[in-house]
């Protein structure tokens, strides 16, 4: 996906988890781009709280469109069929694949995330393992 210079602002898809990193990234990126938020819910496992929190964050951040995808069944399947050591990489890779499709459907120029390098022993190599296309992801790394 390439930025269309005829547009006044690029359009991005922000992966909004409900933690602190993704709203900070949304705030920073939202200064320069029009954003659509994507929240992956595990509603059947954890309830609807994360969805309500994402709606509230979108209101505060001025994001007009929120897409919620419930991946509860897929997370349960990944957990039951893979080694625990691979769970988070497979889960996040699955989410990036969905995000990529949605970004294309919404005609987004990029996907943005907020990541904390100090969190759960995250490394840049670890983050790159989740991606499906290297030219699409814009990540704000917070320390």
């Amino acid at each position: 996906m390439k930025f269309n210079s005829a547009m006044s602002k690029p359009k991005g898809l922000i992966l909004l988890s409900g933690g602190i990193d993704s709203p900070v990234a949304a705030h920073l990126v939202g200064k320069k781009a029009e954003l659509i938020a994507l929240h992956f819910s595990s509603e059947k496992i954890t309830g609807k709280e994360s969805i309500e929190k994402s709606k509230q964050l979108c209101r505060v951040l001025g994001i007009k469109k929120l897409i919620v995808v419930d991946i509860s069944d897929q997370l349960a399947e990944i957990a039951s069929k893979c080694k625990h050591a691979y769970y988070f990489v497979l889960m996040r890779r699955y989410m990036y694949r969905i995000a990529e499709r949605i970004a294309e459907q919404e005609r987004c120029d990029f996907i943005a995330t907020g990541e904390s390098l100090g969190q759960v022993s995250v490394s840049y190599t670890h983050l790159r393992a989740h991606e499906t296309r290297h030219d699409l992801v814009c990540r704000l790394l917070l320390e």
Side-chain angles (χ1 to χ4, degrees):
M1 291 180 193
K2 302 287 185 213
F3 172 60
N4 180 355
S5 60
M7 294 172 37
S8 59
K9 278 186 166 183
K11 186 176 180 183
L13 184 70
I14 181 79
L15 304 188
L16 195 60
S17 68
I20 190 67
D21 301 327
S22 57
V24 169
H27 172 72
L28 294 172
V29 175
K31 292 177 180 182
K32 300 284 185 182
E34 174 190 345
L35 292 177
I36 295 172
L38 172 59
H39 175 70
F40 290 103
S41 161
S42 53
E43 183 179 344
K44 294 176 187 174
I45 300 167
T46 61
K48 294 184 179 188
E49 286 180 10
S50 69
I51 298 170
E52 294 307 315
K53 186 174 183 180
S54 294
K55 288 178 183 177
Q56 184 179 12
L57 285 169
C58 285
R59 282 192 295 274
V60 169
L61 293 165
I63 298 173
K64 295 179 177 99
K65 185 170 185 178
L66 170 65
I67 299 168
V68 177
V69 177
D70 184 357
I71 59 171
S72 303
D73 295 334
Q74 293 82 0
L75 294 180
E77 185 176 358
I78 291 169
S80 70
K81 292 185 177 179
C82 79
K83 285 184 173 183
H84 180 71
Y86 301 138
Y87 175 77
F88 288 103
V89 171
L90 293 172
M91 172 194 68
R92 290 176 61 125
R93 190 162 170 85
Y94 178 72
M95 289 190 280
Y96 275 109
R97 285 181 149 179
I98 293 170
E100 187 175 86
R101 284 190 217 122
I102 291 171
E104 288 177 2
Q105 289 169 356
E106 295 291 331
R107 295 197 150 107
C108 292
D109 299 298
F110 61 92
I111 296 171
T113 68
E115 309 284 353
S116 176
L117 287 177
Q119 183 180 39
V120 198
S121 64
V122 173
S123 71
Y124 183 71
T125 304
H126 179 81
L127 292 172
R128 290 296 306 242
H130 304 140
E131 297 172 16
T132 57
R133 286 181 49 184
H134 67 284
D135 64 336
L136 189 60
V137 178
C138 168
R139 210 180 249 106
L140 274 77
L141 298 173
L142 307 172
E143 285 191 77

